[in-house]
């Protein structure tokens, strides 16, 4: 446990190339769902978007230069940190370019989620799930600590919002750049936050750590996966923005807290099972605790509440943006046709990881879809492919960044 000097919270963080929304027309939000190894799917989407931004603004363009807030849960929280933590070699540039995210997953997932190839693996996994988490998390903890080092929440290159769930308090714990100056104890190591939000029940162990501010106040955290509360963290991030506006933050002058028409949102899912592959009541009716925790290659109890969390957020936002006649401001990219191993959160064989890369590439070429508010299913809309929608989004983001630079008295950079 380290003492966090209060003065450190007010210190100038690395410079962000993005001027605040005060000088623009939009509030830009990037959101990434949880989903374990399926983080490869949004990784593929993000690499494409960043490449389009580079075509417009140069090879040094990075996603953190365009989004006012990046939010992620579980594996999405890890991607959020990768995109926003400063690089040791250049404090004004992120640790990872978007194109490097999938390389990280392909290299490290087999050791984060080691596979048992023995004939008795299924039986062994059942007994393991009854006595403790399926994986010890040691390799994940080491690689996250090694990559993120001593970086704290207040040092990210743009605002971040990472949900977790505190099992001691039985309530969500949101780590937010917008809150860290008001609640200094939140200024934890980014590695601890990422380990906490990734601690999926039955898969990885819960994570405990403490922070201590300059007054000697100790705050304990007992965290599990943020997907328990918000597997799709889009609405959480928008709420954090609304709170900052309510508190009269200078970043949001003349912007109303509930003005959804100002938001430009990109929300990325990590895929879900196709309709006919989901669980059936006549089978679930016979499950006890063991069945809900271990059914074929999945954990139904975890799948159900995480999928419900993601879908309810999408349903709510789709309704709001449609009611305000600004549906083009909300782009949700999700693949609800996964089946078999690619629908799992932890099958990390070389074959499955490569299949996830292919799933992400195929998703780029699928039509833009929106949730049907009557059936809850994704249906194509007449807006071309996801790839075409991302090309249009890149143009919007680039124009918004240039507009802010033109209007701002600080030019291309500002002190956070």
């Amino acid at each position: 446990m380290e003492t966090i000097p209060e003065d450190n919270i007010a210190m100038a963080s690395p410079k962000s190339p993005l001027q605040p929304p005060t000088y623009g027309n939009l509030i830009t939000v990037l959101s990434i769902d949880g989903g374990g190894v399926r983080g490869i799917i949004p990784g593929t989407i993000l690499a494409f978007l960043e490449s389009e931004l580079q075509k417009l603004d140069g090879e040094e363009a990075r996603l953190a230069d365009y989004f006012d807030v990046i939010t992620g849960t579980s594996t999405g929280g890890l991607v959020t940190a990768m995109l926003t933590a400063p690089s040791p070699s250049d404090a004004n540039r992120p640790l990872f370019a978007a194109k490097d995210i999938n390389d990280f997953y392909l290299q490290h997932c087999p050791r984060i989620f080691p596979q048992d190839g023995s004939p008795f693996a299924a039986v062994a996994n059942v007994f393991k799930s009854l006595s403790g988490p399926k994986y010890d998390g040691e390799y994940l903890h080491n690689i996250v600590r090694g990559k993120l080092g001593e970086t704290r929440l207040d040092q990210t290159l743009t605002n971040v919002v990472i949900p977790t769930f505190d099992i001691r308090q039985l309530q969500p714990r949101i780590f937010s750049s917008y809150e860290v100056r008001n609640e200094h104890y939140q200024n934890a190591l980014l590695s601890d936050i990422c380990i906490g939000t990734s601690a999926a029940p039955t898969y990885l162990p819960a994570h405990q750590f403490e922070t201590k501010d300059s007054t000697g106040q100790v705050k304990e955290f007992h965290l599990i996966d943020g997907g328990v509360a918000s597997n799709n963290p889009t609405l959480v991030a928008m709420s954090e923005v609304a709170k900052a506006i309510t508190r009269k933050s200078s970043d949001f002058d003349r912007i109303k807290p509930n003005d959804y028409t100002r938001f430009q949102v990109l929300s990325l899912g990590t895929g879900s099972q196709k309709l006919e592959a989901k669980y059936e009541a006549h089978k679930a009716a016979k499950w006890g605790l063991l069945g809900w925790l271990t059914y074929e290659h999945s954990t139904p109890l975890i799948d159900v509440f995480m999928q419900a969390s993601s879908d309810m957020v999408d349903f709510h936002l789709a309704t709001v943006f449609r009611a305000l006649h600004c549906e083009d401001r909300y782009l949700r990219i999700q693949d609800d046709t996964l089946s078999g191993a690619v629908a799992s959160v932890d099958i990390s064989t070389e074959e499955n990881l490569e299949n996830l890369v292919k799933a992400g590439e195929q998703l780029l070429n699928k039509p833009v879809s929106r949730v049907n508010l009557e059936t809850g299913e994704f249906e194509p809309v007449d807006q071309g492919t996801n790839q075409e929608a991302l090309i249009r989004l890149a143009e919007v983001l680039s124009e918004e960044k240039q507009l802010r630079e033109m209007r701002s008295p600080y030019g291309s950079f500002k002190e956070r």
Side-chain angles (χ1 to χ4, degrees):
M1 180 179 68
E2 294 180 287
T3 299
I4 304 172
E6 188 167 336
D7 290 345
N8 282 359
I9 308 294
M11 283 173 48
S13 297
K15 294 177 179 178
S16 168
L18 184 62
Q19 294 296 311
T22 291
Y23 302 111
N25 294 331
L26 304 172
I27 302 169
T28 53
V29 179
L30 169 60
S31 176
I32 309 154
D33 286 13
V37 296
R38 300 200 312 264
I40 288 174
I41 294 175
T44 304
I45 305 298
L46 293 171
F48 178 80
L49 176 59
E50 191 169 89
S51 71
E52 290 301 310
L53 290 167
Q54 290 169 348
K55 290 177 183 178
L56 296 169
D57 296 333
E59 288 299 315
E60 292 304 309
R62 297 290 184 268
L63 293 173
D65 302 341
Y66 296 87
F67 286 98
D68 294 304
V69 54
I70 301 179
T71 181
T73 296
S74 193
T75 198
L78 180 57
V79 173
T80 295
M82 294 163 73
L83 295 172
T84 61
S87 168
S89 60
D90 184 350
N92 295 319
R93 294 286 78 197
L95 185 63
F96 281 78
K99 65 180 177 61
D100 299 323
I101 292 172
N102 280 2
D103 289 340
F104 176 90
Y105 275 80
L106 293 172
Q107 178 182 353
H108 297 292
C109 278
R111 297 185 67 181
I112 295 172
F113 303 111
Q115 303 296 291
D116 184 349
S118 72
F120 307 105
V123 175
N125 286 336
V126 169
F127 283 103
K128 188 178 290 186
S129 68
L130 294 174
S131 60
K134 190 173 182 180
Y135 307 100
D136 62 22
E138 184 176 344
Y139 184 82
L140 173 64
H141 296 186
N142 289 338
I143 193 67
V144 169
R145 293 194 188 285
K147 294 293 183 183
L148 296 176
E150 297 301 308
T151 301
R152 292 190 177 274
L153 180 60
D154 71 331
Q155 295 175 301
T156 55
L157 296 176
T158 191
N159 297 296
V160 301
V161 174
I162 301 178
T164 66
F165 191 86
D166 194 311
I167 55 174
R168 189 178 190 185
Q169 302 294 327
L170 284 182
Q171 64 180 16
R173 173 64 61 188
I174 311 301
F175 289 90
S176 166
S177 298
Y178 297 107
E179 287 293 320
V180 73
R181 285 174 174 79
N182 301 311
E183 299 179 350
H184 300 158
Y185 66 83
Q186 276 211 22
N187 200 31
L189 290 170
L190 203 54
S191 58
D192 278 324
I193 298 171
C194 286
I195 293 168
T197 194
S198 301
T202 77
Y203 289 98
L204 290 162
H207 185 53
Q208 188 271 334
F209 63 93
E210 298 175 345
T211 60
K212 186 177 181 182
D213 65 23
S214 59
T215 68
Q217 179 94 28
V218 174
K219 182 69 176 181
E220 290 188 30
F221 300 93
H222 299 257
L223 305 181
I224 61 172
D225 196 319
V228 172
S230 182
N231 202 49
N232 175 348
T234 310
L235 200 55
V236 174
M238 294 173 71
S239 297
E240 288 298 304
V241 170
K243 282 161 58 177
I245 296 172
T246 302
R247 290 171 176 165
K248 308 298 182 184
S249 167
S250 61
D251 282 357
F252 302 98
D253 285 347
R254 298 177 297 281
I255 300 176
K256 297 179 181 179
N258 60 349
D259 190 357
Y260 276 49
T261 63
R262 295 291 292 268
F263 283 96
Q264 181 73 56
V265 177
L266 172 60
S267 176
L268 302 180
T270 57
S272 64
Q273 289 180 321
K274 62 184 179 181
L275 186 61
E276 60 268 26
K278 294 178 182 176
Y279 310 111
E280 298 173 331
H282 71 276
K283 294 180 180 179
K286 302 174 183 178
W287 294 343
L289 179 61
L290 189 60
W292 280 101
L293 292 177
T294 56
Y295 177 75
E296 295 183 349
H297 295 301
S298 61
T299 306
L301 188 63
I302 306 299
D303 291 347
V304 166
F305 68 67
M306 287 192 174
Q307 195 60 49
S309 169
S310 292
D311 288 348
M312 285 301 293
V313 170
D314 183 36
F315 188 89
H316 172 80
L317 290 175
T319 303
V320 170
F321 279 91
R322 182 176 300 181
L324 295 174
H325 306 290
C326 56
E327 291 175 277
D328 60 329
R329 293 285 175 80
Y330 174 63
L331 176 60
R332 172 72 170 169
I333 298 181
Q334 171 71 312
D335 186 346
D336 62 350
T337 66
L338 302 183
S339 62
V342 291
S344 78
V345 299
D346 68 327
I347 296 181
S348 58
T349 62
E350 182 178 352
E351 178 185 10
N352 193 51
L353 297 179
E354 291 295 342
N355 285 337
L356 285 167
V357 173
K358 293 176 183 176
E361 293 169 345
Q362 292 167 358
L363 184 56
L364 283 170
N365 294 312
K366 290 184 177 182
V368 175
S369 299
R370 292 201 184 103
V371 63
N372 183 309
L373 300 181
E374 304 249 338
T375 66
E377 296 181 28
F378 265 75
E379 296 178 351
V381 294
D382 188 21
Q383 291 191 4
T385 65
N386 289 318
Q387 180 171 291
E388 291 167 338
L390 290 168
I391 292 171
R392 292 193 296 270
L393 177 62
E395 293 171 350
V396 170
L397 294 172
S398 178
E399 290 171 3
E400 174 70 10
K401 182 172 180 289
Q402 292 174 35
L403 175 64
R404 295 186 191 185
E405 290 174 1
M406 181 180 67
R407 290 178 176 175
S408 170
Y410 302 105
S412 299
F413 293 87
K414 74 179 182 72
E415 294 289 345
R416 288 280 305 283

